[in-house]
Amino acid sequence: MYIIAVESHFDAAHYLRGYQGKCENLHGHRYRVAVKLSSKDLDSVGLACDFGDIKAALKPILARYDHTLLNDVPPFDTINPSAENIARTIYEEIKPEIGGAALKAVTVWESPESSAEYTEG
């Protein structure tokens, strides 16, 4: 099984509704996002999936969140913009855009030491 990944980032502010602690206050992060795919096979060129195709699918998704207050951007206007919810949302948004390889997981880092990963299996 081949596992491939593409990473990107976006900058945004957020706060966590109902949280009791520092994260209830408005603050920002440089979010790092990794999209991981898996494939048993390679194409005739030797690729599981073209990195460029994954980057092209991810770019408009992250552009909607970049330099925003996430709490104002759907779906985070109704659900908390936690790393867990951001990972699941990006997973659901990119899944229909990925062809060939199977989407394995999306990981979102709020800091170099803290991340959340979403997968369906």
Side-chain angles (χ1 to χ4, degrees):
M1 182 68 67
Y2 298 95
I3 305 291
I4 61 170
V6 166
E7 290 189 16
S8 190
H9 71 274
F10 68 97
D11 299 298
H14 77 147
Y15 57 90
L16 297 178
R17 301 172 198 93
Y19 183 86
Q20 296 183 350
K22 290 194 295 186
C23 292
E24 70 183 325
N25 299 317
L26 180 64
H27 63 284
H29 297 284
R30 169 159 280 189
Y31 290 95
R32 188 172 120 213
V33 177
V35 176
K36 299 175 190 172
L37 296 98
S38 64
S39 179
K40 292 180 181 179
D41 302 310
L42 301 179
D43 66 13
S44 62
V45 180
L47 304 176
C49 188
D50 189 317
F51 290 138
D53 292 343
I54 304 165
K55 291 175 186 177
L58 184 58
K59 186 175 182 176
I61 294 169
L62 300 188
R64 284 198 311 275
Y65 305 131
D66 192 36
H67 286 82
T68 67
L69 172 58
L70 291 175
N71 298 72
D72 292 341
V73 180
F76 307 115
D77 54 343
T78 58
I79 63 172
N80 258 338
S82 63
E84 294 87 343
N85 281 333
I86 295 168
R88 187 190 74 230
T89 298
I90 293 171
Y91 185 102
E92 291 170 350
E93 291 178 345
I94 202 165
K95 187 175 182 179
E97 305 302 319
I98 300 297
L103 182 58
K104 186 166 183 64
V106 170
T107 307
V108 173
W109 285 265
E110 282 192 350
S111 73
E113 303 86 17
S114 303
S115 68
E117 183 170 271
Y118 181 81
T119 183
E120 289 184 340

